[in-house]
Amino acid sequence: MMRLLLLFLLVLTWHSEASADIFRADTEWKVKPDFEKSAAARESISGADCAPDGGWCLAANDEKNYAQFFKIGKNRLDPDKKGVIRLLPKKVDGEKMDEIDAEGVVFVPSGDDNTPSYFYVTGSHGLSRGGDLQPSRYWLFRFPVETGTGKPTFTFDDKKVVPEVERTDLLADTIEANPDLASYVDQKLDQNGVTIEGISEMNGDMLFGLRSPCLANHAFILRVPGSELFKKTPPSSTTEKVGLGDNVGVRDLTRVNDGLLILAGRSDDRRGVQDFTCDEKRTPPSPAPSLWFWSGKNGDAAKPYGALPGIDVNASAETLLVLEETQTAYRVLVLFDGEKNGAPVEFLVNK
């Protein structure tokens, strides 16, 4: 009788685990050749997105001033050695520029036959870890690409910024004018300061996912009309508060058919102040990287899929790519900041 009871409990446990929403795939992914142009760059992949149907993808890093094109093959990423595109010059208006601190990439398809598709790359728009204001971190970039392939419509290289690469620093003014975010603009990450780490697009709006600030178990997503960007005046904005948990912020955003997938993770800087989190003086929890679905609609709650299985709680999961979407599931690829070439890991997610 006892043996039958134990067997029943084992079967029950197995079925419980098998009905989870997210699984780590057995597939081993490779990256060949390495991402350019240095170890620092290839160990700091912080955002990527792809044109649909096997088109070109773009990866950004948070240590340099360039991004790189790559393709997704069967269980591998294929960086294009000649596909490095410089985004920021060494100086702007006579002022020296450091790293972009790029944190998000999105492909935005053309809305009609008269406008091109674009890749967008966003900087963090936050202070450095040391609390310095570095102008190079406050840029948003975009450049035109072919709608069907994601290939740039112009010639480029890694040495010089070409005119087709547009940039604007007016999003910083928008954030400073936003009533929900204004008081966090001058704070460091470990003091709940503004830090963008994801970007996506929905219905003509650009959505910027914030790692920080976090307040009362909620993270912020900044919504900006896409038509107002890259103009001569700061765009307008609204904020969406999405409940992701204590000390949890957005680490990436990716568009899917009915909304967005959110890659979430620790909001504060674990290397910073250890007795302050989410605007409160207390010991911060250490949330694991996790995946969520959000409709993108104001007031809708985010649906949790759970923590990424088999991933260390301190891993910096920062890039989310959708490999495939069906009516019942997603196949996604997650890349990690701090790992060579992002050390991609595939997951299967039940809707």
Side-chain angles (χ1 to χ4, degrees), residues 217 245-248 266-268 270 274 276-278 282-288 313-314:
N217 293 341
D246 189 12
N247 196 28
V248 180
R266 185 167 180 151
S267 174
D268 69 353
R270 61 186 175 87
Q274 295 301 304
F276 190 91
T277 187
C278 298
R282 58 186 172 91
T283 301
S286 298
V313 67
N314 291 320

Side-chain angles (χ1 to χ4, degrees), residues 65 86-90 141 157-167:
N65 51 23
R86 185 164 184 136
L87 300 176
L88 189 65
K90 292 182 178 179
F141 306 87
D157 61 36
D158 62 339
K159 299 292 194 300
K160 183 179 179 181
V161 179
V162 296
E164 289 84 355
V165 176
E166 299 179 78
R167 63 178 181 267

